[in-house]
């Protein structure tokens, strides 16, 4: 017995998902689901009354659910249309069921720009007001409208004559600098939409183009080509040339210049000194005459001026970069030359020529010094050169001061040599200081011995110190003899015993030196000073052995004894007799001076052990006296 398949209408037809806005030109996959149809239903897609293709179907294993997937790319024109899905069994009439959405298509703003309706783009000239209108179609609506001039964003600036008001732009009193391309940009969440470009053509009378050559150096009987370029709109310009010097102004005939729209070239040949001066160039177009002429100076040609403000901006191990500022070109086109010489061999290492005073030279040896010469040249000659001194850095493997690679010699750099010299100098100074201190210590020991001798009854100057309240001590005959022989030898040889003493300032050019000799008595005399007549003082630090009264002693060498001893005619016995006389009357043995001693007793409380009065007088208590010892 044959079984027959039942025919069942679709129970439901549904588009999956939600009806969200779709972005134009993006790809989406929409799914339509049909439930309960027997046999398998037929599913179709429609956009309005237009059927859609590019679908695929899939049926569940139980044959109960059938799905259809549509690949859909919406466009801006699809906005507002109805997208639907229909499912039905063909064997059952009117069994189709439909489900659909109303399409909402988002898109980038569509913007159009146009000049104000009452403006003629071909008749706009300087000084008039211009405005633009921006028309926008957008879904969703724009959140910002911006304006651009030649690709640069414009901002509202009323003081500069730029007024931005939402979808309109106003330019007040336009100038030729406002000419160019204008666009309007609308922005929403889908992106930025830029309008069509609108060219603002501003008409103006001729003016001189900036950056032209103003000075021409021309020799006598040399034809010079003077170029005059103008900026004008429209560019059809008629030219007038004149020559002006200190005495007259002359029109230049049209046969001496040629014109091409906004360019004109005059041929000028100076014959005498009076032909050097100024050339003037005017232009005229349909908007009017040029207000200020272009000025060109014709001067006698010569060599260019030297470059200046040269600096070395980059020094590497093998290259140098030099930049300078150019000087006057002498009236002719100039170029620049840089020559690099080795400082040791004076050989030319590199020669660089440039149209501008900017040079880069490479391939140099590292760690060397160079002398750089930069100068300019034109058809009349070359300028004076500007010298520079530079050096290349050392390579990485040579930057260490000493190379200790086995089998190589120590490589001492100049910096290390300087450091070694400084250290050696410091060591030498230290050695000299030690030697001087040793010699000073030896001299101090000898001075202590002299002081001890003075305390024992003898002295170079014949001054005896007596301790207060203590009996005088007798002198040793042997020491006295030895001292007398030495002193007698010095006196008879005509030499001063203190001549070689570095602590004594010698007499120069016949000047007398006042010697304030340090006489250290046992406890009473503390220190003395050595002073020059012109107030230069040699200070000897005080020897504070105890808190004792201070006594000053001064030797007056300004007086001389009337008689001098001629030692050349004295026998040895007579010299010894003079030495004995010296110990008894020292002033007789000093032919160069008489000895005067002034003792000063400062205000100190008396010592309790000083029972006997001092044997010296204080000049503060009595008048100055001269005591010949």
């Amino acid at each position: 017995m044959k079984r027959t398949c039942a025919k069942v209408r679709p129970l439901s037809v549904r588009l999956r998902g939600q009806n969200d806005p779709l972005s134009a030109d993006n790809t989406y996959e929409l799914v339509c689901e049909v439930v309960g149809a027997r046999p398998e239903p037929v599913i179709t897609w429609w956009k309005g009354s237009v059927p859609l293709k590019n679908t695929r179907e899939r049926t569940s294993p139980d044959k109960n659910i059938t799905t259809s997937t549509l690949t859909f790319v919406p466009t801006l024109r699809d906005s507002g249309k109805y997208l639907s899905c229909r499912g039905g069994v063909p064997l059952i009439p009117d069994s189709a069921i439909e489900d659909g959405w109303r399409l909402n298509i988002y898109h980038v703003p569509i913007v159009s720009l146009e000049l104000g309706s009452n403006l003629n783009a071909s008749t706009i000239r300087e000084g008039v007001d211009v405005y633009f209108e921006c028309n926008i179609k957008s879904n969703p609506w724009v959140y910002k409208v911006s304006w651009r001039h030649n690709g640069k964003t414009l901002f509202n600036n009323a003081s500069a004559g730029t007024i931005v008001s939402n979808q309109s732009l106003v330019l007040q009193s336009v100038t030729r600098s406002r000419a160019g391309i204008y666009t309007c940009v609308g922005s929403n969440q889908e992106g930025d939409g830029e309008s069509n470009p609108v060219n603002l053509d501003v008409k103006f009378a001729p003016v001189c183009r900036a950056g032209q050559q103003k000075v021409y150096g021309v020799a006598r009987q040399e034809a010079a080509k003077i170029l005059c370029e103008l900026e004008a709109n429209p560019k059809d310009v008629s030219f007038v040339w004149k020559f002006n010097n200190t005495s007259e102004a002359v029109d230049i005939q049209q046969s001496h210049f040629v014109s091409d729209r906004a360019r004109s070239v005059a041929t000028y040949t100076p014959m005498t000194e009076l032909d050097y001066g100024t050339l003037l160039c005017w232009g005229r177009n349909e908007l009017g005459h040029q207000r200020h002429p272009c000025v060109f100076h014709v001067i006698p040609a010569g060599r260019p001026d030297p470059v200046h403000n040269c600096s070395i901006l980059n020094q590497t191990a093998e290259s140098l970069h030099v930049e300078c500022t150019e000087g006057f070109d002498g009236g002719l086109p100039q170029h620049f030359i840089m020559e690099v010489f080795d400082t040791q061999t004076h050989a030319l290492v590199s020669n660089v020529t440039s149209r501008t005073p900017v040079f880069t030279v490479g391939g140099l040896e590292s760690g060397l010094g160079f002398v750089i010469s930069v100068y300019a040249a034109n058809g009349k000659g070359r300028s004076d050169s500007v010298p520079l001194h530079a050096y290349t850095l050392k390579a990485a493997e040579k930057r260490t001061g000493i190379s200790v690679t086995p089998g190589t010699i120590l490589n001492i750099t100049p910096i290390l040599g300087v450091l070694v010299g400084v250290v050696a100098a410091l060591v030498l100074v230290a050695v000299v200081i030690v030697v001087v201190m040793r010699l000073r210590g030896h001299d101090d020991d000898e001075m202590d011995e002299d002081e001890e001798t003075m305390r024992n009854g003898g002295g170079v100057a014949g001054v005896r110190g007596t301790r207060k309240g203590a009996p005088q001590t007798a002198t040793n005959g042997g020491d006295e003899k030895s001292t007398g022989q030495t002193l007698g030898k010095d006196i008879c040889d005509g030499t001063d015993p203190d001549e070689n003493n570095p602590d004594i300032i010698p007499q120069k050019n016949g000047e007398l030196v006042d010697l304030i000799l340090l006489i250290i008595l046992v406890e009473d005399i503390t220190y003395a000073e050595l002073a020059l007549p012109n107030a230069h003082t040699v200070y000897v630090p005080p020897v504070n052995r105890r808190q004792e009264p201070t006594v000053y002693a001064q030797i007056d060498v300004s007086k001389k004894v009337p008689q001098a001893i001629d030692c050349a005619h004295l026998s040895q016995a007579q010299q010894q007799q003079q030495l004995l006389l010296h110990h008894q009357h020292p002033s007789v043995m000093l032919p160069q001076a008489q000895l005067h001693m002034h003792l000063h007793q400062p205000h100190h409380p008396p010592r309790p052990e000083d029972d006997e009065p001092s044997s010296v007088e204080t000049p503060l208590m009595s008048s100055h006296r001269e005591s010949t010892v």
Side-chain angles (χ1 to χ4, degrees):
M1 179 177 175
K2 258 182 178 183
R3 296 181 61 184
T4 61
C5 181
K7 300 176 182 177
V8 180
R9 295 171 178 270
L11 296 179
S12 64
V13 175
R14 181 174 63 90
L15 281 176
R16 290 182 182 178
Q18 296 180 355
N19 186 14
D20 295 329
L22 304 179
S23 296
D25 301 326
N26 286 351
T27 301
Y28 298 91
E29 288 189 348
L30 305 179
V31 178
C32 179
E33 182 181 81
V34 179
V35 179
R38 292 288 189 276
E40 293 182 1
V42 176
I43 303 175
T44 58
W45 291 85
W46 301 82
K47 185 175 65 175
S49 59
V50 178
L52 300 177
K53 305 298 181 182
N54 197 13
T55 62
R56 63 181 185 275
E57 284 76 22
R58 184 176 64 85
T59 304
S60 63
D62 57 0
K63 307 296 183 178
N64 189 42
I65 299 176
T66 302
T67 59
S68 176
T69 303
L70 171 67
T71 302
F72 180 59
V73 181
T75 63
L76 181 61
R77 294 184 298 272
D78 295 336
S79 183
K81 293 182 179 180
Y82 188 77
L83 178 68
S84 62
C85 167
R86 298 175 188 176
V89 179
L91 300 179
I92 301 176
D94 300 327
S95 63
I97 301 176
E98 183 180 48
D99 187 21
W101 295 336
R102 184 70 60 182
L103 293 176
N104 183 16
I105 307 300
Y106 281 178
H107 60 88
V108 176
I110 300 174
V111 185
S112 63
L113 179 64
E114 59 184 12
L115 201 60
S117 57
N118 60 346
L119 294 176
N120 186 356
S122 61
T123 60
I124 297 176
R125 59 185 301 168
E126 285 186 320
V128 301
D129 294 342
V130 177
Y131 67 94
F132 298 88
E133 293 179 352
C134 183
N135 302 315
I136 302 174
K137 181 181 179 181
S138 175
N139 185 25
W141 188 244
V142 295
Y143 61 84
K144 183 180 69 173
V145 177
S146 57
W147 295 83
R148 295 176 183 176
H149 175 219
N150 293 331
K152 296 181 179 180
T153 304
L154 291 175
F155 299 96
N156 187 68
N157 188 354
S159 61
T162 303
I163 301 175
V164 177
S165 177
N166 198 11
Q167 294 179 232
S168 64
L169 172 66
V170 178
L171 303 177
Q172 297 176 332
S173 300
V174 295
T175 61
R176 61 180 179 275
S177 62
R178 297 292 189 93
I181 304 299
Y182 286 83
T183 57
C184 172
V185 180
S187 303
N188 66 2
Q189 68 183 38
E190 294 295 318
D192 297 334
E194 188 171 6
S195 70
N196 57 296
V198 175
N199 181 32
L200 179 62
D201 188 17
V202 180
K203 310 293 184 180
F204 58 94
V207 295
C208 293
R209 186 182 65 82
Q212 298 185 81
Q213 182 179 352
K214 296 295 185 181
V215 180
Y216 288 84
V218 185
R220 291 186 184 182
Q221 301 181 359
E222 178 185 358
K225 302 293 185 180
I226 313 298
L227 173 62
C228 177
E229 292 186 280
L230 304 179
E231 293 180 356
N233 190 11
K235 293 184 178 296
D236 295 329
V237 179
S238 60
F239 285 87
V240 175
W241 285 84
K242 285 187 178 184
F243 172 77
N244 185 17
N245 57 17
T246 56
S247 59
E248 59 181 351
V250 180
D251 292 336
I252 297 179
Q253 300 178 0
Q254 292 187 356
S255 60
H256 292 286
F257 64 87
V258 293
S259 302
D260 181 17
R261 302 194 71 184
R263 291 166 51 97
S264 180
V265 179
T267 303
Y268 185 76
T269 304
M271 304 300 293
T272 64
E273 293 181 0
L274 296 178
D275 293 334
Y276 291 101
T278 303
L279 287 176
L280 305 177
C281 168
W282 282 275
R284 178 181 180 179
N285 63 2
E286 64 183 28
L287 294 181
H289 287 277
Q290 180 179 348
R291 292 184 178 181
H292 305 287
C294 303
V295 181
F296 305 94
H297 301 282
V298 180
I299 63 174
R303 299 186 308 164
D305 290 344
V307 296
H308 55 278
N309 294 338
C310 291
S311 58
I312 301 173
L313 300 182
N314 190 18
Q315 294 174 263
T316 65
E318 59 180 12
S319 65
L320 297 171
H321 183 74
V322 180
E323 291 188 8
C324 302
T325 303
E326 65 181 33
F328 175 59
D329 59 3
L332 297 174
Q334 63 177 346
H335 58 278
F336 304 91
I337 300 96
M338 182 180 75
E339 297 176 347
V340 182
F341 298 90
D342 192 328
T343 55
Q344 296 181 355
T345 62
H346 303 287
L348 180 63
V349 177
S350 178
N351 189 330
V352 182
T353 302
S354 174
R355 302 300 302 177
T356 59
V358 178
F359 309 92
T360 299
V361 57
L364 302 177
E365 187 176 353
S366 62
L368 294 182
F370 300 94
V371 176
I372 300 175
S373 178
V374 182
Y375 59 89
N378 63 8
K380 300 299 180 180
R382 53 177 285 182
S383 68
D384 296 335
S385 61
V386 176
L388 298 173
H389 295 276
Y391 62 91
T392 53
L393 302 179
K394 291 188 176 181
E397 65 273 7
K398 295 182 180 180
R399 290 184 181 175
T400 55
I402 301 177
S403 176
V404 293
T405 305
T408 61
I409 304 175
L410 293 180
N411 182 19
I412 300 179
T413 63
I415 297 179
L416 183 59
V418 172
L419 294 178
V420 172
V422 171
V423 172
L426 293 177
V427 172
L428 181 60
V429 170
V431 172
V432 171
I433 292 174
V434 171
V435 172
V436 171
M437 295 298 295
R438 289 292 186 98
L439 294 178
R440 289 291 180 91
H442 181 67
D443 293 342
D444 293 340
D445 294 339
E446 292 182 353
M447 184 179 292
D448 292 340
E449 293 177 0
D450 293 340
E451 293 172 356
E452 185 65 25
T453 303
M454 291 168 58
R455 286 196 298 269
N456 292 332
V460 175
V463 180
R464 299 179 181 177
T466 304
R467 180 178 179 182
K468 296 180 181 180
Q472 299 182 358
T473 60
T475 60
N476 192 331
D479 296 338
E480 181 178 353
K481 180 178 179 181
S482 176
T483 305
Q485 291 178 355
T486 304
L487 182 59
K489 184 178 182 303
D490 294 336
I491 294 174
C492 294
D493 291 341
T495 60
D496 189 356
D498 296 328
E499 182 178 358
N500 296 324
N501 192 341
D503 296 330
I504 301 300
I505 301 176
Q507 300 181 11
K508 294 182 179 180
N509 299 328
E511 290 185 5
L512 295 179
V513 179
D514 291 337
L515 303 178
I516 305 174
L517 192 61
L518 174 62
I519 304 174
I520 303 177
L521 300 180
V522 177
E523 291 181 351
D524 295 338
I525 300 177
T526 304
Y527 71 95
E529 297 180 353
L530 302 179
L532 298 174
N534 53 1
H536 293 283
T537 303
V538 179
Y539 177 73
V540 180
V543 183
N544 293 324
R545 298 179 178 175
R546 294 177 56 185
Q547 296 296 330
E548 296 295 336
T550 303
V551 179
Y552 291 87
Q554 180 176 1
I555 301 175
D556 187 358
V557 297
S558 62
K559 297 183 180 182
K560 299 181 179 179
V561 296
Q563 297 179 355
I565 300 174
D566 188 2
C567 297
H569 303 286
L570 296 179
S571 63
Q572 183 176 2
Q574 290 175 340
Q575 293 180 12
Q576 294 179 358
Q577 183 178 1
Q578 291 293 334
L579 292 177
L580 294 177
L581 181 61
H582 158 68
H583 286 285
Q584 297 177 2
H585 302 284
S587 60
V588 178
M589 296 299 295
L590 297 176
Q592 298 295 329
Q594 289 183 344
L595 185 63
H596 299 271
M597 178 179 295
H598 302 282
L599 301 179
H600 171 60
Q601 177 68 38
H603 296 283
H604 290 290
R607 294 171 52 193
E609 66 271 17
D610 293 342
D611 297 330
E612 295 181 5
S614 176
S615 60
V616 296
E617 296 180 359
T618 303
L620 297 178
M621 303 292 296
S622 61
S623 62
H624 290 283
R625 299 187 232 176
E626 297 180 356
S627 300
T628 303
V629 181

